[in-house]
Amino acid sequence: MSSSLPSSAPSASVLDLAPVVPVVVVEDAVDAVPLARALVAGGLPAIEVTLRTPAALDAVRAIAAEVPDALVGAGTVITPGQVGEVVAAGARFLVSPGWTDGLLESMRASGVPFLPGVSTVSEVVALLERGVREMKFFPARAAGGTAYLKAIAGPLPQARFCPTGGIGPDSAPDYLALPNVACVGGSWMLPADAVAARDWARIERLARAAADLGAGGLGADGLSAGGTSR
C-alpha cells in the first residue's frame, strides 16, 4: 500500500484505501493515538471514530494531530451540527448510518468525503438521483447481507458500497468478492479485552490480517475532498 499518489493520479475514494475500515469506539481519548498507530502499522489507514462516546471528538482531534499517516473520519454522524464539529476537530471523511436531505446537504457542503448510510433500494436510488454513488450499507447482515447486495448489483451497477454491521473476518471475504463492494467496515480487529489491556501489538496483528483480506488500496494522502460523493 503506497503512502501517497502522484499529483497526476485521479482522485481516490475513501472506499479504496484498504479492504477494511476499522469502526472504532473510543472510551478514553488517551487510547486514541496508540490505537490509531497500531491500525496504521497493520495496514488500515482509514479509521472511523464513531460519535458514540464523550471521548469521540477528542479522539478525532488527537489522531488528526498526532498520527499523520492515518486518515481519521467520524462515524455515526446524524445531525448537521455534528458535521461541523467533527470537521473542525480534524475529521477527513464522514460516515452516517442513514441520511436526510438536510444531513446530506451539510455533508456535501463540508468539503470532505462522505458515506451516507442506506439499507433499501429506494434510498440508493434517491442518492444516485442526488449525484452520490458511494454509500455505507447498514446494518449489513440484518438488512440482507451479501444476497441483498448481489441482487441490486444488476439494476444499480453504478452504486458502490461499504457494508458495515455484523461483519467479521469469516464473512468479510464474501462481501469483498461482490462487484459493488469496495471495502467493509468492522471492529473485529479491536477486541474489547485487547483495547482494555492496551495490547496495541495484538491489535496491529489483527489489523494486518484484516488488511490482507483484499487487494491493497491507496495511502491516506491519495484521498481528495468529495471523492466519495462525486
Side-chain angles (χ1 to χ4, degrees):
M1 180 179 297
S2 63
S3 60
S4 62
L5 285 176
S7 59
S8 59
S11 296
S13 163
V14 68
L15 298 185
D16 297 322
L17 294 174
V20 178
V21 176
V23 178
V24 181
V25 179
V26 179
E27 300 289 349
D28 187 339
V30 171
D31 294 333
V33 167
L35 187 154
R37 286 174 176 159
L39 292 172
V40 170
L44 301 180
I47 301 170
E48 175 189 338
V49 177
T50 67
L51 301 184
R52 300 180 191 176
T53 68
L57 276 177
D58 286 338
V60 171
R61 289 189 191 96
I63 295 170
E66 300 183 44
V67 192
D69 291 333
L71 188 131
V72 62
T76 323
V77 176
I78 59 173
T79 69
Q82 287 177 326
V83 171
E85 289 177 343
V86 296
V87 172
R92 294 176 62 192
F93 66 94
L94 309 171
V95 184
S96 66
W99 65 279
T100 64
D101 282 324
L103 178 59
L104 188 67
E105 183 57 32
S106 292
M107 292 193 295
R108 196 190 297 274
S110 72
V112 302
F114 56 90
L115 292 172
V118 297
S119 61
T120 70
V121 170
S122 293
E123 291 171 318
V124 176
V125 172
L127 284 177
L128 292 174
E129 186 179 81
R130 289 160 174 77
V132 179
R133 298 191 174 193
E134 300 189 348
M135 313 163 195
K136 171 178 177 172
F137 178 57
F138 175 83
R141 184 173 63 184
T146 55
Y148 189 94
L149 289 169
K150 186 182 296 185
I152 67 174
L156 300 171
Q158 62 271 59
R160 299 177 75 215
F161 299 97
C162 176
T164 304
I167 299 175
D170 294 333
S171 59
D174 295 331
Y175 284 93
L176 293 168
L178 299 176
N180 55 351
V181 171
C183 64
V184 300
S187 57
W188 70 85
M189 73 296 301
L190 298 161
D193 60 337
V195 175
R198 296 185 165 92
D199 188 348
W200 312 128
R202 180 183 172 196
I203 289 172
E204 180 181 338
R205 290 194 300 272
L206 292 170
R208 185 169 293 111
D212 287 342
L213 290 175
L218 303 169
D221 293 340
L223 181 66
S224 65
T228 66
S229 59
R230 298 292 185 265

